């Protein structure tokens, strides 16, 4: 009996510890399992949030981009406005038909130039009468035929002229090359008359002064700038001048006339002020537009 009791006691002593261990393991197992399950759940939630945030960003970007595409498409469909180019003198003149110059053209040029430089009373004094002008070229004449028309008594005038440093006929043009061309064109008109080149290209002003003082010169052909310089240096006098012919209708490579080039127009206006307008008022000088 005693052995059985001891055995039973031993069993009863060992069973509770094992039971407690089993209980602890049972308690630990449920606690460990949820921990293992919760961690991936958190990761899944984070990834879902990130995905949702990315989707929102892409949707917002698409919304931002789509109006740009619409505007680009609208821009492509709309006709582009072309900038208007400023018309140059050559563009205007190339589209217009050439018209012969007339005294009114010169008068308008003079009034426009002096409008902000002279008073109203002085501007009235600058107005030229029709009697101050010769007949204008109708674009059918050569220089020789035109001069024969406006100076029918040239042979007599040529003989009567004996004053040095002065000319009877002064032809004003825009360039040295044009002056040489005009001198060649009037060979049939000038006869025995002496002509001089009055431009700055390859000719010193001192040489021109000596030539004018050396003998009698009937015709001068040149540019306004050099003619003004000779007048200022008293190398050229306007006392014997009777005819002033302007190379008005000729156009250069850019289709510009003498009056269309600003620097030449400025020099020409200065030339008119030196005494030509005064000579026209006194009926001593006649102006012709060739």
């Amino acid at each position: 009996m005693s052995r059985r009791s001891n055995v039973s006691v031993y069993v009863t002593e060992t069973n509770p510890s094992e039971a407690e261990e089993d209980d602890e393991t049972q308690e630990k197992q449920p606690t460990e399992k949820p921990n293992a399950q919760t961690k991936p759940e958190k990761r899944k939630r984070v990834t879902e949030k990130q995905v949702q945030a990315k989707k929102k960003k892409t949707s917002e970007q698409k919304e931002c981009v789509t109006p740009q595409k619409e505007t680009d498409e609208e821009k492509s469909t709309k006709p582009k406005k072309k900038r208007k180019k400023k018309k140059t003198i050559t563009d205007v003149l190339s589209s217009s038909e050439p018209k012969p110059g007339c005294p009114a053209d010169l008068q308008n040029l003079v009034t426009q130039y002096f409008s902000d430089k002279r008073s109203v009373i002085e501007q009235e004094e600058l107005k030229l009468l029709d009697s101050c002008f010769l007949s204008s070229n109708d674009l059918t004449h050569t220089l020789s035929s035109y001069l024969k028309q406006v100076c029918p008594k040239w042979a007599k005038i040529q003989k009567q002229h004996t004053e040095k440093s002065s000319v009877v006929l002064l032809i004003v043009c825009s360039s040295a090359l044009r002056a040489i061309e005009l001198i060649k064109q009037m060979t049939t008109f000038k006869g025995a008359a002496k002509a001089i080149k009055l431009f700055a290209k390859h000719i010193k002003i001192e040489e021109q002064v000596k030539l004018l003082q050396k003998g009698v010169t009937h015709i001068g052909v040149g540019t306004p700038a050099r003619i003004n310089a000779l007048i200022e240096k008293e190398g050229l006098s306007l006392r014997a001048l009777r005819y002033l012919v302007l190379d008005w209708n000729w156009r250069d490579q850019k289709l510009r006339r003498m009056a269309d080039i600003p620097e030449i127009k400025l020099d020409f206006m200065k030339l008119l002020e030196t005494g030509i307008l005064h000579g026209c008022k006194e009926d001593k000088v006649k102006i012709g537009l060739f």
Side-chain angles (χ1 to χ4, degrees):
M1 292 294 290
S2 62
R3 288 179 181 174
R4 288 179 184 177
S5 63
N6 289 330
V7 171
S8 63
V9 171
Y10 178 76
V11 171
T12 55
E13 288 177 358
T14 55
N15 284 336
S17 63
E18 289 176 358
E20 287 176 0
E21 288 177 358
D22 293 335
D23 293 334
E24 287 178 1
T25 53
Q26 286 176 1
E27 288 176 359
K28 286 179 182 179
Q29 284 176 358
T31 55
E32 288 176 355
K33 284 180 182 180
N35 289 330
Q37 290 175 358
T38 53
K39 284 182 181 178
E41 284 178 0
K42 285 182 181 178
R43 287 180 183 175
K44 285 180 182 179
R45 287 176 184 174
V46 171
T47 53
E48 287 176 0
K49 286 180 181 178
Q50 289 177 353
V51 171
Q52 289 176 358
K54 286 181 180 179
K55 286 181 179 180
K56 286 182 180 179
K57 285 181 180 179
T58 52
S59 63
E60 288 175 357
Q61 287 177 356
K62 285 180 181 179
E63 289 176 358
C64 294
V65 171
T66 48
Q68 289 179 356
K69 287 182 180 179
E70 290 176 1
T71 52
D72 292 337
E73 289 176 359
E74 288 176 357
K75 285 179 182 179
S76 62
T77 54
K78 287 181 180 179
K80 292 181 180 179
K81 292 182 179 179
K82 292 182 179 179
R83 291 182 181 179
K84 292 182 179 179
K85 292 182 180 180
K86 290 183 179 180
K87 289 185 177 181
T88 59
I89 295 172
T90 54
D91 294 332
V92 175
L93 294 175
S94 61
S95 60
S96 60
E97 294 181 359
K99 294 180 180 179
C102 62
D105 295 334
L106 177 60
Q107 188 64 62
N108 291 331
L109 185 69
V110 172
T111 53
Q112 286 176 6
Y113 179 79
F114 290 107
S115 61
D116 56 347
K117 298 175 180 63
R118 299 288 181 90
S119 64
V120 178
I121 297 170
E122 289 174 340
Q123 287 179 26
E124 289 180 358
E125 292 177 356
L126 293 173
K127 290 182 179 179
L128 299 173
L129 300 174
D130 293 337
S131 59
C132 298
F133 292 94
L134 301 168
S135 60
S136 301
N137 180 20
D138 57 357
L139 304 180
T140 59
H141 286 282
T142 62
L143 182 59
S144 289
S145 63
Y146 175 72
L147 292 175
K148 286 178 181 179
Q149 180 182 350
V150 297
C151 305
K153 298 179 180 180
W154 173 249
K156 184 179 179 180
I157 294 169
Q158 174 188 337
K159 289 178 182 179
Q160 290 176 351
H161 176 60
T162 57
E163 189 173 350
K164 294 180 181 181
S165 299
S166 185
V167 294
V168 180
L169 172 61
L170 185 61
I171 301 172
V172 183
C173 58
S174 58
S175 66
L177 293 174
R178 179 61 178 166
I180 294 169
E181 186 182 347
L182 290 173
I183 291 171
K184 290 178 181 178
Q185 287 182 10
M186 65 177 183
T187 50
T188 56
F189 166 76
K190 70 175 185 176
K194 186 179 178 181
I196 187 171
K197 302 169 185 175
L198 302 177
F199 51 78
K201 192 172 184 179
H202 306 305
I203 304 173
K204 293 181 180 179
I205 191 168
E206 291 80 10
E207 293 178 2
Q208 290 171 339
V209 172
K210 287 179 182 179
L211 288 171
L212 288 166
Q213 292 175 351
K214 189 176 180 180
V216 177
T217 308
H218 304 88
I219 304 169
V221 185
T223 58
R226 178 47 64 94
I227 293 169
N228 286 329
L230 287 167
I231 293 169
E232 287 176 2
K233 288 199 171 188
E234 296 181 355
L236 178 66
S237 174
L238 301 177
R239 289 189 301 270
L241 183 65
R242 294 187 62 178
Y243 302 103
L244 176 69
V245 176
L246 307 177
D247 190 26
W248 189 269
N249 297 303
W250 184 80
R251 299 178 186 273
D252 61 6
Q253 292 179 351
K254 296 181 179 180
L255 301 177
R256 298 177 301 176
R257 299 174 302 173
M258 182 178 68
D260 297 325
I261 303 169
E263 56 271 17
I264 294 175
K265 182 173 70 173
L266 182 66
D267 294 330
F268 172 62
M269 290 298 157
K270 187 178 177 182
L271 177 61
L272 291 179
E273 284 185 289
T274 53
I276 290 174
L277 291 175
H278 181 70
C280 292
K281 288 283 186 181
E282 293 182 352
D283 202 19
K284 292 180 179 179
V285 181
K286 304 286 185 182
I287 300 174
L289 304 181
F290 172 64

